[in-house]
Amino acid sequence: MRLRTALVAGTALVQPAVAASVQAKNVIYIVPDGYGPASQNMARDLASLVETGTTGNNPEIHELPVDDLAIGRVRTHSANNMITDSAASGTAYAAGYKSYNGAISVTPDGQAVGSILEAAKLAGLKTGLVSTTSISDATPAVYAAHVANRGNQPLIAEQELGYSHPLGRMVDLLLGGGRCNFVPSTTQNSCRDDDLDLLAYAREEGFTVATNRTHFNALNGTLPVLGLFSDDSMRYEMDRRIIQDEPSLLEMAEFAVSTLHNATNTQEKGFFVMIEAARIDHAGHDNDPANHAIETHMYNDVIAWVVEWIDAHPDTILLSAADHETGGLTLNGYDPLPLQNATHSRAYLQEVWDERPDGVDEREFLVSEILPAYGLSDVSDAEVDSILNASSIGSGITSLLSNRAGVHWSTGGHTSVDVTLHGYAAGEKRDALRADLAGGWDNTELPRYIEEVLGVDMDAVTEKLVQAAAEDGSWLGMNNNKRGLGARDLGNHRYCHH
């Protein structure tokens, strides 16, 4: 294992480099945010029992695509907490450094550190970010921005487009939600406090900009691309299946990989793309069991498509690991079949409840409109009372459905359990990838491995960022640093807590 020298805060630090016996033209990195071992367990069991028509008393269980890809495990603690948030863990996965909860690719002393995506871009590769939450939220942000506080999404959005990034535009393709951070304050639902119109800026810089489903369908695969399909997070998959006004994670992943490949197919340099299955985490925060299972199943669908694509393009590797587990999910007295009839998420049904017509009979509305959409039938009067008396309707229905399925949540936040590392490559590369990454890893080691696979240099990016900050560090947003705050205190967006 060779050593590398990194310049951090003016000090040369000697770091071990993760040895890689695999080289590849392209790397696809998938983050199932908030996904833990029990998440996969529940999604697999529910899908199997529904498919086979068997029950929890006589189960016939089939594997899902991710089940065959486990190669190791990853530790996720942050620099200031045994339980990480997505920003600190993302900084580790993207840049290879531990930092405080809330940090976007900056170290605890506030210095920007280069990410694997930035290193790939500066080495001549094409790059992409895909997420079902705001594209300027923590997990995508750490790959293309350097900000003291993850809650400063308007500044992150600027950097992702290259507007205020000291090294220029680092990302060729961005697909997700978070449109409110890109439009001026005069626009309805804007999250900005200035008149900067980043959509107009993107068009001036040659981006094809898509802001709805129709625009997505019309994309022709010419880079650069900016797709923002909701003001905040995109719809949960179970809601999207019915409403169908946004592309799915699978559709965005297929478009991103195909577009980046077509742009590099005849070139020596390939691409790096990060794809985030973000809403597994949000469903975990909501303790929403059917929703959590469906989001996990969508992650498996994306993995299945990527594996098939890699078989046809063996110059590519796949790595995937969650930033942390969310919800403390355990399965005890467990039968997932009661989850099968839910058609909408807790969050969606809470909005339906909050917007119910004035004067409507609340009990009747709950029984006729809310409970059937959550897959709850044969609900007793006492159970209806417990839902009506809960802190919220959403809390009441998730508690009842979780109890019926024997699904238990220890928290509405994150946990510190290790997460599973998944990986795939075609042919002999698969055995080499498994051999390289078998065992336990710290999350900071994964980008160093990808760095070796692609033959790029993150430390060279860090040196450029250090020089840029010495000249003018205003792009770091240090005046708005809220490091050390609880994760739910960061920012003012609906899902900033993940």
Side-chain angles (χ1 to χ4, degrees):
M1 181 176 291
R2 67 185 178 88
L3 298 178
R4 60 175 63 244
T5 300
L7 183 66
V8 177
T11 302
L13 301 178
V14 178
Q15 297 180 312
V18 180
S21 59
V22 178
Q23 278 72 50
K25 181 179 179 179
N26 314 307
V27 171
I28 301 171
Y29 191 79
I30 303 181
V31 179
D33 198 312
Y35 162 98
S39 307
Q40 181 71 10
N41 199 153
M42 184 168 67
R44 178 205 312 125
D45 295 347
L46 177 60
S48 295
L49 296 181
V50 171
E51 177 187 349
T52 62
T54 58
T55 69
N57 295 321
N58 184 29
E60 183 179 339
I61 306 300
H62 298 161
E63 284 191 342
L64 290 181
V66 172
D67 286 319
D68 189 42
L69 304 186
I71 55 178
R73 59 181 176 78
V74 183
R75 303 180 295 278
T76 65
H77 63 280
S78 70
N80 70 336
N81 202 310
M82 290 302 296
I83 300 176
T84 189
D85 78 332
S86 292
S89 187
T91 295
Y93 278 127
Y97 286 91
K98 292 288 187 186
S99 198
Y100 56 90
N101 286 357
I104 300 296
S105 287
V106 295
T107 56
D109 58 5
Q111 181 183 292
V113 282
S115 76
I116 186 64
L117 180 144
E118 291 168 324
K121 178 65 176 177
L122 292 182
L125 285 77
K126 297 297 184 183
T127 59
L129 296 171
V130 178
S131 179
T132 46
T133 190
S134 168
I135 201 64
S136 52
D137 205 355
T139 300
V142 294
Y143 289 89
H146 306 274
V147 176
N149 170 20
R150 62 175 289 179
N152 198 345
Q153 291 199 39
L155 179 57
I156 292 167
E158 295 174 24
Q159 292 192 29
E160 287 179 328
L161 290 182
Y163 178 86
S164 61
H165 194 293
L167 305 183
R169 176 171 62 82
M170 295 288 104
V171 196
D172 299 299
L173 178 147
L174 301 107
L175 299 176
R179 189 170 52 233
C180 75
N181 297 294
F182 291 77
V183 296
S185 59
T186 52
T187 304
Q188 185 178 8
N189 298 327
S190 173
C191 296
R192 303 191 65 86
D193 60 6
D194 58 28
D195 60 0
L196 180 59
D197 187 341
L198 287 174
L199 297 187
Y201 170 79
R203 292 186 180 99
E204 292 171 359
E205 293 298 306
F207 279 85
T208 300
V209 177
T211 57
N212 56 44
R213 174 82 216 205
T214 301
H215 291 167
F216 176 80
N217 293 344
L219 289 172
N220 61 14
T222 301
L223 295 174
V225 173
L226 173 65
L228 300 170
F229 306 110
S230 63
D231 286 332
D232 196 341
S233 289
M234 296 178 68
R235 293 193 187 276
Y236 284 113
E237 176 61 18
M238 65 193 308
D239 300 322
R240 191 207 64 82
R241 290 176 183 176
I242 297 173
I243 302 171
Q244 296 188 358
D245 60 346
E246 298 172 358
S248 69
L249 177 63
L250 178 58
E251 289 174 304
M252 292 194 295
E254 290 176 350
F255 176 83
V257 171
S258 299
T259 298
L260 292 168
H261 169 68
N262 290 339
T264 58
N265 189 31
T266 60
Q267 301 174 8
E268 178 183 352
K269 300 291 187 178
F271 65 84
F272 172 87
V273 63
M274 189 287 299
I275 301 169
E276 183 193 17
R279 308 225 64 191
I280 299 172
D281 172 69
H282 300 162
H285 280 295
D286 276 352
N287 292 174
D288 191 352
N291 188 12
H292 191 76
I294 289 172
E295 290 296 323
T296 299
H297 201 287
M298 170 54 72
Y299 163 59
N300 277 264
D301 289 344
V302 172
I303 289 285
W305 183 85
V306 169
V307 166
E308 184 175 344
W309 192 88
I310 289 175
D311 285 339
H313 304 85
D315 52 359
T316 306
I317 70 164
L318 161 70
L319 288 176
S320 178
D323 45 0
H324 51 72
E325 192 271 352
T326 300
L329 176 62
T330 57
L331 311 173
N332 183 20
Y334 162 67
D335 181 349
L337 275 176
L339 307 180
Q340 67 179 311
N341 294 321
T343 58
H344 276 296
S345 68
R346 164 185 170 163
Y348 178 87
L349 293 174
Q350 183 68 57
E351 289 184 6
V352 171
W353 174 261
D354 293 342
E355 297 170 3
R356 66 192 181 280
D358 292 338
V360 71
D361 183 280
E362 291 187 351
R363 191 180 194 90
E364 181 179 337
F365 189 83
L366 174 65
V367 171
S368 63
E369 300 297 327
I370 303 297
L371 298 184
Y374 205 61
L376 289 168
S377 59
D378 300 322
V379 180
S380 69
D381 288 342
E383 288 172 328
V384 171
D385 289 339
S386 70
I387 294 171
L388 290 170
N389 292 327
S391 59
S392 69
I393 291 298
S395 175
I397 60 177
T398 54
S399 178
L400 179 56
L401 186 59
S402 292
N403 287 338
R404 288 190 174 188
V407 172
H408 304 279
W409 309 88
S410 67
T411 180
H414 303 166
T415 69
S416 63
V417 299
D418 288 358
V419 297
T420 306
L421 174 62
H422 302 97
Y424 186 77
E428 295 180 355
K429 283 185 179 180
R430 187 177 186 190
D431 291 336
L433 185 69
R434 284 171 162 173
D436 283 350
L437 294 176
W441 300 91
D442 188 82
N443 51 8
T444 57
E445 296 178 284
L446 270 294
R448 292 299 183 182
Y449 181 80
I450 298 173
E451 182 182 38
E452 292 287 308
V453 168
L454 291 175
V456 300
D457 190 347
M458 291 193 295
D459 297 330
V461 182
T462 297
E463 291 178 7
K464 292 178 182 294
L465 294 170
V466 170
Q467 294 171 4
E471 297 172 5
D472 177 10
S474 60
W475 45 274
L476 289 165
M478 296 302 291
N479 291 334
N480 192 30
N481 186 359
K482 297 181 180 179
R483 71 181 73 170
L485 290 177
R488 289 182 181 271
D489 295 323
L490 290 168
N492 60 357
H493 298 292
R494 201 172 9 153
Y495 295 108
C496 257
H497 58 266
H498 87 285

